[in-house]
Amino acid sequence: DTGVSQDPRHKITKRGQNVTFRCDPISEHNRLYWYRQTLGQGPEFLTYFQNEAQLEKSRLLSDRFSAERPKGSFSTLEIQRTEQGDSAMYLCASTTGRKGISYNEQFFGPGTRLTVL
Amino acid sequence: AQRVTQPEKLLSVFKGAPVELKCNYSYSGSPELFWYVQYSRQRLQLLLRHISRESIKGFTADLNKGETSFHLKKPFAQEEDSAMYYCALKGVSNAGNMLTFGGGTRLMVKP
């Protein structure tokens, strides 16, 4: 499968625990995005990387959230001291980011569903 | 600030009936609009974008800047069209290409 992959697909944790999710983008894509989707809502942008550089973060990304893309390939999203309000689907997307093109299609992964008890 | 509104959470039609999924946006500049679709047990995928002005799976959408709308239409719905549909916006000044999504509309096409 050459699409975007995410691991784990489901995570159940207790409030106060730390969790880490992984995203593997399509291999030649240099841009990677994280979105969060709560029940009954559309995806909300969290942060994005171009290669290894984190270029923008949403105000939704509190200081308990941190994302990395150390070698410009896979990315991790860590949530520290989880709260029940963190329960959501966390989506990763990637794209080529080719210059001179106004929009490069974002390809989404299957998501990681987080449940905080 | 940019915002996308999909007023209907659920739209139920019979097979062969026309479909219109509503999308309104708020953006001070000239946006790019998209429709994404998520079929059952599948990942979110791009359906169409206003710049392409193409018909995909019989769906079309016209950007109406006067009404700030980008409604998705299909003249004859098929059962396989049943899915979640999300309207999304990218601001022209948005170099990062981040998308702002609406809340989504679930389309159910009954036999």
Side-chain angles (χ1 to χ4, degrees), chain A residues 27-83:
Chain A
S27 60
E28 64 269 24
H29 286 183
N30 62 351
R31 287 190 177 181
L32 185 148
Y33 304 80
W34 285 99
Y35 293 85
R36 181 177 71 184
Q37 185 174 22
T38 53
L39 201 61
Q41 302 298 317
E44 297 172 292
F45 168 75
L46 292 179
T47 188
Y48 102 94
F49 292 83
Q50 179 152 318
N51 300 312
E52 65 276 7
Q54 187 175 19
L55 296 185
E56 186 144 351
K57 294 192 289 187
S58 161
R59 291 173 206 164
L60 292 174
L61 214 65
S62 76
D63 55 8
R64 295 185 298 105
F65 287 69
S66 62
E68 294 183 342
R69 194 181 182 199
K71 297 181 180 179
S73 56
F74 73 91
S75 175
T76 58
L77 178 67
E78 181 183 16
I79 308 174
Q80 295 182 327
R81 306 181 302 282
T82 53
E83 301 173 357

Side-chain angles (χ1 to χ4, degrees), chain A residues 2 7 26 48 60 65 73 76 80 86 95-96 115:
Chain A
T2 56
D7 183 70
I26 294 172
Y48 102 94
L60 292 174
F65 287 69
S73 56
T76 58
Q80 295 182 327
D86 297 331
T95 187
T96 59
T115 302

Side-chain angles (χ1 to χ4, degrees), chain B residues 66-79:
Chain B
E67 296 183 357
T68 60
S69 68
F70 187 56
H71 303 327
L72 183 68
K73 300 177 183 179
K74 184 169 183 176
F76 308 104
Q78 303 299 314
E79 289 181 68

Side-chain angles (χ1 to χ4, degrees), chain A residues 85-108:
Chain A
D86 297 331
S87 295
M89 178 74 85
Y90 290 84
L91 296 169
C92 176
S94 71
T95 187
T96 59
R98 285 175 294 176
K99 291 183 179 180
I101 297 176
S102 65
Y103 180 75
N104 296 290
E105 179 179 349
Q106 292 185 25
F107 292 85
F108 283 81

Side-chain angles (χ1 to χ4, degrees), chain B residues 10-30:
Chain B
L10 173 66
L11 184 63
S12 183
V13 302
F14 285 102
K15 176 182 172 182
V19 169
E20 182 178 54
L21 295 156
K22 291 183 166 51
C23 171
N24 289 91
Y25 67 89
S26 172
Y27 183 67
S28 56
S30 185

